[in-house]
Amino acid sequence: MNQYESHNHIDPDFPIIFHWDTFSSTEYFHSHWHEGVELLFCTQGSGEIIIDSEVYAMNMGDTIIVNSGGLHTIKCLSEENLMYYCLIPSESFC
């Protein structure tokens, strides 16, 4: 299922979404897209990110940039959890 992910930046003085994500190879991450650019920094595990049907490796230490409007999903391919930081600045910030 392809979903639009709406982002609400509640604090205009801090127009950034920042969080840490973790999931295992048994979990499914739905394909989604949003208007903001997304930066991911992988801190553990290995996997792949699929952006607009292109597959890219995602390993510890990698930084991935998903362009605005890019349909994307992530798969964990390692026995250990895939962990990464996610940063999405608002369009007005960029």
Side-chain angles (χ1 to χ4, degrees), residues 27-94:
E27 295 175 286
Y28 180 74
F29 192 87
H30 292 283
S31 295
H32 67 283
W33 67 277
H34 39 76
E35 294 168 3
V37 170
E38 182 171 0
L39 289 89
L40 306 171
F41 178 72
C42 186
T43 59
Q44 179 182 300
S46 63
E48 59 188 21
I49 183 165
I50 301 145
I51 307 170
D52 293 329
S53 301
E54 293 289 327
V55 180
Y56 302 94
M58 186 173 178
N59 297 298
M60 188 172 74
D62 288 347
T63 299
I64 308 287
I65 299 172
V66 180
N67 283 328
S68 174
L71 181 64
H72 57 285
T73 188
I74 298 172
K75 293 181 182 179
C76 176
L77 300 177
S78 57
E79 289 184 21
E80 62 186 343
N81 286 350
L82 181 63
M83 297 180 181
Y84 56 91
Y85 288 104
C86 174
L87 179 111
I88 306 170
S90 71
E91 290 181 354
S92 64
F93 183 80
C94 292

Side-chain angles (χ1 to χ4, degrees), residues 7-19 86-94:
H7 293 153
N8 296 319
H9 299 275
I10 298 167
D11 183 352
D13 293 329
F14 190 73
I16 294 171
I17 295 171
F18 182 71
H19 56 88
C86 174
L87 179 111
I88 306 170
S90 71
E91 290 181 354
S92 64
F93 183 80
C94 292

